[in-house]
Amino acid sequence: MTALLDFARALEFAAHKHIDQRRKGVRAEPYLNHLSEVAFLVAEATEGKDPVAVIAALLHDTLEDTDASYEEIEQHFGAEVASVVAETTDDKRLRKAERKQRQIDTAPTASSRAKLVKLADKVSNLRSMAYSPPADWPLDRKIEYFEWAHAVVAGLRGTDARLESLFDRAYEDGLAELRGETV
Ligand code: ZN
């Protein structure tokens, strides 16, 4: 009961915080589509038994991409959720290349909930990159993105076999789709 209420509150919070954001791809999907996909993948992986992980999945980009603060998330959703969200947030004070390297370096020591959210995030991102890629990205930049995601996920393996195989499928199908563009 209260888990469902918390879930609905987190959905409302995320929808409100990301209200003006869209994905970078040509379809410019509402940002909330990405959050619902990540939350769904985490809910499936945990068979609906870990509300903290699912709520953190819904909120995983609020610290990085909106005006939400750690304190706000902690106050509304508790310390467990806030710490998972913090673990899935890049340090924006670092330069982009450093942030990307940091994701590779910190993946193996992340908490198991953060690993699940990170894995689901990469599945969603590769799917988007394949079917709705950013219009101004050349092919080699997209392929570089796939290889980087693959390197991050290497440090997350052993978390959830099904989610890892969904990632492998998104990686292989996505690369094939991208390479098809050049034919
Ligand atoms: Zn994300």
Side-chain angles (χ1 to χ4, degrees):
M1 267 290 274
T2 57
L4 188 55
L5 180 57
D6 286 343
F7 174 83
R9 283 173 52 238
L11 178 60
E12 177 69 2
F13 185 88
H16 183 72
K17 289 292 186 188
H18 291 279
I19 191 164
D20 291 321
Q21 289 169 14
R22 288 180 169 268
R23 296 285 268 169
K24 281 184 289 208
V26 287
R27 290 181 65 170
E29 309 93 314
Y31 207 83
L32 195 59
N33 282 55
H34 167 62
L35 305 172
S36 73
E37 183 178 26
V38 174
F40 171 63
L41 289 168
V42 169
E44 264 200 326
T46 55
E47 299 176 329
K49 290 174 188 158
D50 190 348
V52 168
V54 177
I55 289 166
L58 273 178
L59 302 176
H60 80 274
D61 282 326
T62 50
L63 283 181
E64 198 169 308
D65 295 334
T66 80
D67 66 2
S69 68
Y70 182 91
E71 291 70 27
E72 194 179 3
I73 291 171
E74 188 179 34
Q75 187 192 329
H76 289 294
F77 303 103
E80 282 185 308
V81 167
S83 86
V84 178
V85 175
E87 277 191 272
T88 58
T89 299
D90 283 352
D91 185 346
K92 285 212 160 165
R93 290 168 303 183
L94 299 175
R95 284 203 305 224
K96 192 156 190 192
E98 289 172 276
R99 277 190 258 154
K100 298 199 106 177
Q101 186 58 45
R102 175 83 53 107
Q103 281 206 35
I104 295 172
D105 297 342
T106 59
T109 53
S111 69
S112 53
R113 282 173 174 143
K115 282 182 175 174
L116 276 177
V117 176
K118 284 165 185 268
L119 250 176
D121 190 36
K122 292 292 179 278
V123 172
S124 172
N125 287 341
L126 289 199
R127 286 174 176 172
S128 295
M129 192 62 69
Y131 78 80
S132 175
D136 56 341
W137 281 31
L139 180 61
D140 56 352
R141 185 171 176 192
K142 293 177 208 163
I143 290 174
E144 207 175 285
Y145 184 87
F146 268 66
E147 299 308 343
W148 167 73
H150 199 267
V152 175
V153 167
L156 302 170
R157 298 220 180 243
T159 302
D160 184 83
R162 210 181 137 272
L163 210 42
E164 287 157 39
S165 75
L166 286 179
F167 175 84
D168 292 336
R169 200 186 309 161
Y171 174 81
E172 276 152 33
D173 293 354
L175 275 184
E177 175 97 20
L178 289 179
R179 295 208 161 105
E181 286 179 0
T182 61
V183 178

PDB file of all heavy atoms in Angstrom, residues 145-166:
ATOM      1  N   TYR A 145      29.742   5.849 -28.344  1.00  0.00           N
ATOM      2  CA  TYR A 145      28.817   5.820 -27.220  1.00  0.00           C
ATOM      3  C   TYR A 145      28.478   4.367 -26.838  1.00  0.00           C
ATOM      4  O   TYR A 145      28.469   4.003 -25.660  1.00  0.00           O
ATOM      5  CB  TYR A 145      27.535   6.599 -27.558  1.00  0.00           C
ATOM      6  CG  TYR A 145      26.596   6.678 -26.386  1.00  0.00           C
ATOM      7  CD1 TYR A 145      26.726   7.699 -25.438  1.00  0.00           C
ATOM      8  CD2 TYR A 145      25.622   5.707 -26.183  1.00  0.00           C
ATOM      9  CE1 TYR A 145      25.890   7.746 -24.338  1.00  0.00           C
ATOM     10  CE2 TYR A 145      24.790   5.742 -25.079  1.00  0.00           C
ATOM     11  CZ  TYR A 145      24.928   6.774 -24.167  1.00  0.00           C
ATOM     12  OH  TYR A 145      24.109   6.800 -23.067  1.00  0.00           O
ATOM     13  N   PHE A 146      28.216   3.547 -27.852  1.00  0.00           N
ATOM     14  CA  PHE A 146      27.920   2.131 -27.602  1.00  0.00           C
ATOM     15  C   PHE A 146      29.093   1.453 -26.891  1.00  0.00           C
ATOM     16  O   PHE A 146      28.903   0.675 -25.957  1.00  0.00           O
ATOM     17  CB  PHE A 146      27.619   1.406 -28.932  1.00  0.00           C
ATOM     18  CG  PHE A 146      26.153   1.393 -29.285  1.00  0.00           C
ATOM     19  CD1 PHE A 146      25.485   2.564 -29.581  1.00  0.00           C
ATOM     20  CD2 PHE A 146      25.448   0.200 -29.313  1.00  0.00           C
ATOM     21  CE1 PHE A 146      24.125   2.558 -29.899  1.00  0.00           C
ATOM     22  CE2 PHE A 146      24.089   0.184 -29.617  1.00  0.00           C
ATOM     23  CZ  PHE A 146      23.432   1.362 -29.923  1.00  0.00           C
ATOM     24  N   GLU A 147      30.310   1.733 -27.360  1.00  0.00           N
ATOM     25  CA  GLU A 147      31.490   1.088 -26.769  1.00  0.00           C
ATOM     26  C   GLU A 147      31.715   1.559 -25.332  1.00  0.00           C
ATOM     27  O   GLU A 147      32.090   0.775 -24.456  1.00  0.00           O
ATOM     28  CB  GLU A 147      32.747   1.351 -27.623  1.00  0.00           C
ATOM     29  CG  GLU A 147      32.668   0.816 -29.054  1.00  0.00           C
ATOM     30  CD  GLU A 147      32.276  -0.658 -29.157  1.00  0.00           C
ATOM     31  OE1 GLU A 147      32.357  -1.397 -28.161  1.00  0.00           O
ATOM     32  OE2 GLU A 147      31.853  -1.068 -30.259  1.00  0.00           O
ATOM     33  N   TRP A 148      31.449   2.837 -25.089  1.00  0.00           N
ATOM     34  CA  TRP A 148      31.577   3.354 -23.721  1.00  0.00           C
ATOM     35  C   TRP A 148      30.550   2.679 -22.800  1.00  0.00           C
ATOM     36  O   TRP A 148      30.890   2.228 -21.698  1.00  0.00           O
ATOM     37  CB  TRP A 148      31.397   4.880 -23.706  1.00  0.00           C
ATOM     38  CG  TRP A 148      31.221   5.420 -22.332  1.00  0.00           C
ATOM     39  CD1 TRP A 148      32.179   5.537 -21.366  1.00  0.00           C
ATOM     40  CD2 TRP A 148      30.000   5.874 -21.747  1.00  0.00           C
ATOM     41  NE1 TRP A 148      31.628   6.034 -20.209  1.00  0.00           N
ATOM     42  CE2 TRP A 148      30.300   6.256 -20.418  1.00  0.00           C
ATOM     43  CE3 TRP A 148      28.689   5.988 -22.217  1.00  0.00           C
ATOM     44  CZ2 TRP A 148      29.318   6.742 -19.554  1.00  0.00           C
ATOM     45  CZ3 TRP A 148      27.718   6.481 -21.361  1.00  0.00           C
ATOM     46  CH2 TRP A 148      28.037   6.855 -20.047  1.00  0.00           C
ATOM     47  N   ALA A 149      29.288   2.590 -23.262  1.00  0.00           N
ATOM     48  CA  ALA A 149      28.248   1.938 -22.450  1.00  0.00           C
ATOM     49  C   ALA A 149      28.638   0.490 -22.153  1.00  0.00           C
ATOM     50  O   ALA A 149      28.450  -0.009 -21.037  1.00  0.00           O
ATOM     51  CB  ALA A 149      26.899   1.992 -23.179  1.00  0.00           C
ATOM     52  N   HIS A 150      29.229  -0.167 -23.147  1.00  0.00           N
ATOM     53  CA  HIS A 150      29.667  -1.559 -22.985  1.00  0.00           C
ATOM     54  C   HIS A 150      30.734  -1.658 -21.900  1.00  0.00           C
ATOM     55  O   HIS A 150      30.736  -2.589 -21.083  1.00  0.00           O
ATOM     56  CB  HIS A 150      30.198  -2.073 -24.323  1.00  0.00           C
ATOM     57  CG  HIS A 150      30.258  -3.562 -24.425  1.00  0.00           C
ATOM     58  ND1 HIS A 150      31.386  -4.274 -24.108  1.00  0.00           N
ATOM     59  CD2 HIS A 150      29.333  -4.478 -24.783  1.00  0.00           C
ATOM     60  CE1 HIS A 150      31.141  -5.567 -24.271  1.00  0.00           C
ATOM     61  NE2 HIS A 150      29.901  -5.722 -24.688  1.00  0.00           N
ATOM     62  N   ALA A 151      31.642  -0.684 -21.870  1.00  0.00           N
ATOM     63  CA  ALA A 151      32.714  -0.667 -20.859  1.00  0.00           C
ATOM     64  C   ALA A 151      32.148  -0.416 -19.464  1.00  0.00           C
ATOM     65  O   ALA A 151      32.606  -1.019 -18.484  1.00  0.00           O
ATOM     66  CB  ALA A 151      33.748   0.403 -21.221  1.00  0.00           C
ATOM     67  N   VAL A 152      31.138   0.452 -19.343  1.00  0.00           N
ATOM     68  CA  VAL A 152      30.512   0.678 -18.032  1.00  0.00           C
ATOM     69  C   VAL A 152      29.833  -0.607 -17.566  1.00  0.00           C
ATOM     70  O   VAL A 152      30.005  -1.049 -16.413  1.00  0.00           O
ATOM     71  CB  VAL A 152      29.469   1.829 -18.083  1.00  0.00           C
ATOM     72  CG1 VAL A 152      28.756   1.961 -16.736  1.00  0.00           C
ATOM     73  CG2 VAL A 152      30.137   3.155 -18.471  1.00  0.00           C
ATOM     74  N   VAL A 153      29.088  -1.242 -18.475  1.00  0.00           N
ATOM     75  CA  VAL A 153      28.327  -2.443 -18.116  1.00  0.00           C
ATOM     76  C   VAL A 153      29.254  -3.610 -17.760  1.00  0.00           C
ATOM     77  O   VAL A 153      28.890  -4.453 -16.927  1.00  0.00           O
ATOM     78  CB  VAL A 153      27.303  -2.799 -19.230  1.00  0.00           C
ATOM     79  CG1 VAL A 153      26.732  -4.197 -19.039  1.00  0.00           C
ATOM     80  CG2 VAL A 153      26.173  -1.757 -19.238  1.00  0.00           C
ATOM     81  N   ALA A 154      30.460  -3.630 -18.307  1.00  0.00           N
ATOM     82  CA  ALA A 154      31.426  -4.677 -17.935  1.00  0.00           C
ATOM     83  C   ALA A 154      31.639  -4.685 -16.421  1.00  0.00           C
ATOM     84  O   ALA A 154      31.799  -5.741 -15.808  1.00  0.00           O
ATOM     85  CB  ALA A 154      32.744  -4.449 -18.662  1.00  0.00           C
ATOM     86  N   GLY A 155      31.612  -3.508 -15.808  1.00  0.00           N
ATOM     87  CA  GLY A 155      31.788  -3.404 -14.360  1.00  0.00           C
ATOM     88  C   GLY A 155      30.523  -3.662 -13.561  1.00  0.00           C
ATOM     89  O   GLY A 155      30.550  -3.651 -12.331  1.00  0.00           O
ATOM     90  N   LEU A 156      29.396  -3.863 -14.255  1.00  0.00           N
ATOM     91  CA  LEU A 156      28.117  -4.093 -13.563  1.00  0.00           C
ATOM     92  C   LEU A 156      27.673  -5.543 -13.658  1.00  0.00           C
ATOM     93  O   LEU A 156      26.664  -5.936 -13.081  1.00  0.00           O
ATOM     94  CB  LEU A 156      27.018  -3.210 -14.187  1.00  0.00           C
ATOM     95  CG  LEU A 156      27.246  -1.701 -14.186  1.00  0.00           C
ATOM     96  CD1 LEU A 156      26.199  -1.001 -15.056  1.00  0.00           C
ATOM     97  CD2 LEU A 156      27.182  -1.152 -12.762  1.00  0.00           C
ATOM     98  N   ARG A 157      28.428  -6.352 -14.392  1.00  0.00           N
ATOM     99  CA  ARG A 157      28.001  -7.741 -14.637  1.00  0.00           C
ATOM    100  C   ARG A 157      27.981  -8.541 -13.345  1.00  0.00           C
ATOM    101  O   ARG A 157      28.698  -8.246 -12.406  1.00  0.00           O
ATOM    102  CB  ARG A 157      28.899  -8.397 -15.673  1.00  0.00           C
ATOM    103  CG  ARG A 157      28.821  -7.674 -17.017  1.00  0.00           C
ATOM    104  CD  ARG A 157      28.810  -8.617 -18.195  1.00  0.00           C
ATOM    105  NE  ARG A 157      28.736  -7.836 -19.434  1.00  0.00           N
ATOM    106  CZ  ARG A 157      27.725  -7.899 -20.294  1.00  0.00           C
ATOM    107  NH1 ARG A 157      26.707  -8.715 -20.082  1.00  0.00           N
ATOM    108  NH2 ARG A 157      27.728  -7.154 -21.381  1.00  0.00           N
ATOM    109  N   GLY A 158      27.079  -9.554 -13.341  1.00  0.00           N
ATOM    110  CA  GLY A 158      26.893 -10.350 -12.140  1.00  0.00           C
ATOM    111  C   GLY A 158      25.788  -9.782 -11.267  1.00  0.00           C
ATOM    112  O   GLY A 158      25.558 -10.244 -10.152  1.00  0.00           O
ATOM    113  N   THR A 159      25.065  -8.786 -11.780  1.00  0.00           N
ATOM    114  CA  THR A 159      23.992  -8.141 -11.019  1.00  0.00           C
ATOM    115  C   THR A 159      22.650  -8.791 -11.307  1.00  0.00           C
ATOM    116  O   THR A 159      21.911  -9.168 -10.394  1.00  0.00           O
ATOM    117  CB  THR A 159      23.919  -6.638 -11.385  1.00  0.00           C
ATOM    118  OG1 THR A 159      25.187  -6.048 -11.112  1.00  0.00           O
ATOM    119  CG2 THR A 159      22.848  -5.929 -10.572  1.00  0.00           C
ATOM    120  N   ASP A 160      22.319  -8.911 -12.585  1.00  0.00           N
ATOM    121  CA  ASP A 160      21.032  -9.494 -12.974  1.00  0.00           C
ATOM    122  C   ASP A 160      21.163 -10.038 -14.397  1.00  0.00           C
ATOM    123  O   ASP A 160      21.296  -9.270 -15.353  1.00  0.00           O
ATOM    124  CB  ASP A 160      19.925  -8.439 -12.913  1.00  0.00           C
ATOM    125  CG  ASP A 160      18.561  -9.038 -13.229  1.00  0.00           C
ATOM    126  OD1 ASP A 160      17.944  -9.601 -12.316  1.00  0.00           O
ATOM    127  OD2 ASP A 160      18.143  -8.981 -14.404  1.00  0.00           O
ATOM    128  N   ALA A 161      21.110 -11.375 -14.516  1.00  0.00           N
ATOM    129  CA  ALA A 161      21.407 -12.027 -15.800  1.00  0.00           C
ATOM    130  C   ALA A 161      20.453 -11.567 -16.904  1.00  0.00           C
ATOM    131  O   ALA A 161      20.879 -11.319 -18.041  1.00  0.00           O
ATOM    132  CB  ALA A 161      21.332 -13.542 -15.636  1.00  0.00           C
ATOM    133  N   ARG A 162      19.179 -11.427 -16.565  1.00  0.00           N
ATOM    134  CA  ARG A 162      18.195 -11.060 -17.592  1.00  0.00           C
ATOM    135  C   ARG A 162      18.433  -9.641 -18.109  1.00  0.00           C
ATOM    136  O   ARG A 162      18.398  -9.385 -19.301  1.00  0.00           O
ATOM    137  CB  ARG A 162      16.777 -11.191 -17.019  1.00  0.00           C
ATOM    138  CG  ARG A 162      15.776 -11.533 -18.077  1.00  0.00           C
ATOM    139  CD  ARG A 162      14.366 -11.634 -17.517  1.00  0.00           C
ATOM    140  NE  ARG A 162      13.479 -10.973 -18.445  1.00  0.00           N
ATOM    141  CZ  ARG A 162      13.197  -9.684 -18.414  1.00  0.00           C
ATOM    142  NH1 ARG A 162      13.716  -8.916 -17.487  1.00  0.00           N
ATOM    143  NH2 ARG A 162      12.402  -9.158 -19.312  1.00  0.00           N
ATOM    144  N   LEU A 163      18.677  -8.747 -17.181  1.00  0.00           N
ATOM    145  CA  LEU A 163      18.931  -7.357 -17.561  1.00  0.00           C
ATOM    146  C   LEU A 163      20.229  -7.253 -18.374  1.00  0.00           C
ATOM    147  O   LEU A 163      20.315  -6.481 -19.334  1.00  0.00           O
ATOM    148  CB  LEU A 163      19.011  -6.512 -16.289  1.00  0.00           C
ATOM    149  CG  LEU A 163      18.595  -5.037 -16.327  1.00  0.00           C
ATOM    150  CD1 LEU A 163      17.337  -4.811 -17.138  1.00  0.00           C
ATOM    151  CD2 LEU A 163      18.395  -4.536 -14.899  1.00  0.00           C
ATOM    152  N   GLU A 164      21.220  -8.053 -17.986  1.00  0.00           N
ATOM    153  CA  GLU A 164      22.475  -8.052 -18.742  1.00  0.00           C
ATOM    154  C   GLU A 164      22.258  -8.585 -20.154  1.00  0.00           C
ATOM    155  O   GLU A 164      22.846  -8.076 -21.114  1.00  0.00           O
ATOM    156  CB  GLU A 164      23.540  -8.872 -17.996  1.00  0.00           C
ATOM    157  CG  GLU A 164      24.051  -8.128 -16.763  1.00  0.00           C
ATOM    158  CD  GLU A 164      24.649  -9.046 -15.706  1.00  0.00           C
ATOM    159  OE1 GLU A 164      25.341 -10.018 -16.054  1.00  0.00           O
ATOM    160  OE2 GLU A 164      24.405  -8.788 -14.502  1.00  0.00           O
ATOM    161  N   SER A 165      21.375  -9.585 -20.303  1.00  0.00           N
ATOM    162  CA  SER A 165      21.144 -10.078 -21.663  1.00  0.00           C
ATOM    163  C   SER A 165      20.308  -9.081 -22.466  1.00  0.00           C
ATOM    164  O   SER A 165      20.482  -8.967 -23.684  1.00  0.00           O
ATOM    165  CB  SER A 165      20.552 -11.492 -21.661  1.00  0.00           C
ATOM    166  OG  SER A 165      19.210 -11.456 -21.311  1.00  0.00           O
ATOM    167  N   LEU A 166      19.426  -8.329 -21.798  1.00  0.00           N
ATOM    168  CA  LEU A 166      18.711  -7.249 -22.507  1.00  0.00           C
ATOM    169  C   LEU A 166      19.704  -6.193 -22.991  1.00  0.00           C
ATOM    170  O   LEU A 166      19.567  -5.635 -24.073  1.00  0.00           O
ATOM    171  CB  LEU A 166      17.657  -6.593 -21.608  1.00  0.00           C
ATOM    172  CG  LEU A 166      16.384  -7.394 -21.336  1.00  0.00           C
ATOM    173  CD1 LEU A 166      15.462  -6.612 -20.412  1.00  0.00           C
ATOM    174  CD2 LEU A 166      15.657  -7.735 -22.634  1.00  0.00           C
TER     175      LEU A 166
END
